[in-house]
Amino acid sequence: MLKFTEEHEWLKIEDGVATVGITTHAAEQLGDLVYVELPEVGATFSKNDNAATVESVKAASDVFCPLDGEIVEVNDAIVAHPELVNADPQGAAWFFKLKLANPADADGLMDEEAYSRMIA
């Protein structure tokens, strides 16, 4: 199940854990990324908290936590190689895995079709 936020994050949810990244649209808008800062494993966030930061040749931007939960894994590969986010934003360049406090909250997020309409 792939979900999207209005802040241009995507989530792939499996067994109550969401793999979170930024959308292809967001990566294209940011331009070439030069820096990624990820949250600590074990940190807890509420929906819309600033969970990560990306910096591109154009600007720095926050990556928001899409739902309430605890960080259970981060993708260190994108810290070492921020350009991976531009190369595969909705695949290998995920940011963090979030154990959802309430998986049913994901029902309120957009599906891919609704997200595509929003950015059109």
Side-chain angles (χ1 to χ4, degrees):
M1 170 172 37
L2 206 59
K3 293 288 191 174
F4 296 85
T5 71
E6 292 181 2
E7 292 75 28
H8 308 289
E9 288 93 19
W10 60 266
L11 298 80
K12 182 178 180 185
I13 302 168
E14 296 173 307
D15 299 327
V17 175
T19 301
V20 179
I22 64 171
T23 65
T24 301
H25 174 77
E28 289 171 357
Q29 294 298 309
L30 286 166
D32 294 337
L33 292 187
V34 294
Y35 176 78
V36 176
E37 181 180 328
L38 297 175
E40 297 286 327
V41 171
T44 57
F45 291 96
S46 297
K47 182 178 180 178
N48 295 328
D49 283 352
N50 177 16
T53 303
V54 294
E55 191 173 316
S56 71
V57 293
K58 293 181 180 176
S61 298
D62 295 329
V63 177
F64 298 102
C65 194
L67 296 169
D68 298 350
E70 177 184 351
I71 304 297
V72 294
E73 188 177 346
V74 296
N75 187 357
D76 291 324
I78 63 171
V79 174
H81 302 284
E83 68 276 9
L84 292 176
V85 178
N86 296 106
D88 192 11
Q90 290 184 215
W94 55 275
F95 278 54
F96 53 85
K97 294 188 179 188
L98 182 72
K99 183 177 180 184
L100 300 175
N102 185 1
D105 289 347
D107 294 342
L109 299 175
M110 291 182 279
D111 61 16
E112 190 160 7
E113 183 179 329
Y115 180 75
S116 294
R117 282 195 307 265
M118 185 188 87
I119 61 173

